[in-house]
Amino acid sequence: MSLLSPAPSRAADRPVRIVALGDSLTAGYGLPADAAFPVVLERVLKAKGQAVAVANAGVSGDTATGGLDRIDWSVPDGTDGVILELGANDMLRGTDPAMTEAALEAIITRLKGRGIPVLLAGMRAPPNLGPDYVRRFDAIYPALAARHGLVLYPFFLDGIAGDRGLNLADGLHPTRAGVERVVAGIVPTVEDFLQRLRKGP
């Protein structure tokens, strides 16, 4: 190589740094650490040739408001993108969907202000909460994605919700196999997100 040739960029070699900000579904409730969603997602992406590091910022029991309260220390400087998975506990507690939406909007706005793009992982309410609640809650995620131009994965638990064989005995949290199914579903959306991150603003 000529001495006058430009040095290769080190930035291009480093992994894309993702933080998975969520609740027990992200944290890996009831599972070994190596079976948690961020760990499995990183492994699958690396197997597909993606240079990526996925940090686990899941806190069991967290609500959207709880996520907002800890956003600054849960998402460190140098983060390239966030997978935002919050709202399930709000729904289980029957929280007013307007409150959940406001907290998620504040998280997204705070991250955008720091120049950190967001992949929004949606949640859906079960029918037993009543049609009005279901309608209002389920509308949160598409509305936020449209308003902020986010990459949206419509339903984080797609393919495993209600499947006893893929959930723990509580019927709420995925088994190891359930997490693998969640990751298989979301990977194409995450790959689109990574492509957007690498292109930059």
Side-chain angles (χ1 to χ4, degrees):
M1 184 176 75
S2 166
L3 293 176
L4 299 178
S5 298
S9 169
R10 300 306 303 172
D13 297 336
R14 73 164 179 80
V16 176
R17 292 167 294 205
I18 302 295
V19 170
L21 179 70
D23 48 37
S24 55
L25 299 174
T26 290
Y29 175 86
L31 299 174
D34 67 348
F37 167 75
V39 179
V40 178
L41 178 63
E42 180 180 306
R43 172 171 52 79
V44 170
L45 288 169
K46 284 181 172 178
K48 293 168 70 68
Q50 297 277 7
V52 62
V54 185
N56 189 342
V59 173
S60 292
D62 221 355
T63 61
T65 301
L68 175 61
D69 289 342
R70 64 184 176 89
I71 185 73
D72 292 329
W73 60 265
S74 290
V75 182
D77 291 340
T79 298
D80 295 308
V82 165
I83 297 173
L84 178 57
E85 177 277 306
L86 283 168
N89 287 310
D90 301 61
M91 174 263 293
L92 290 173
R93 298 176 186 185
T95 301
D96 184 344
M99 292 180 60
T100 303
E101 183 170 0
L104 291 172
E105 175 124 46
I107 292 171
I108 294 162
T109 301
R110 186 89 60 87
L111 291 171
K112 286 178 71 175
R114 295 172 58 191
I116 302 174
V118 173
L119 185 164
L120 185 60
M123 187 54 56
R124 291 177 182 163
N128 65 295
L129 291 175
D132 181 64
Y133 190 93
V134 170
R135 177 185 57 79
R136 293 175 61 217
F137 184 87
D138 289 4
I140 291 172
Y141 300 90
L144 287 171
R147 199 149 62 232
H148 292 279
L150 307 181
V151 173
L152 173 67
Y153 185 65
F155 183 32
F156 187 73
L157 296 177
D158 189 32
I160 75 160
D163 188 328
R164 292 185 179 180
L166 293 174
N167 287 278
L168 300 177
D170 62 14
L172 298 173
H173 297 94
T175 61
R176 181 186 287 268
V179 172
E180 297 278 353
R181 180 74 63 86
V182 169
V183 168
I186 201 173
V187 156
T189 303
V190 176
E191 288 182 304
D192 289 344
F193 184 54
L194 291 172
Q195 186 176 20
R196 181 184 290 199
L197 294 180
R198 291 190 175 103
K199 286 180 179 179

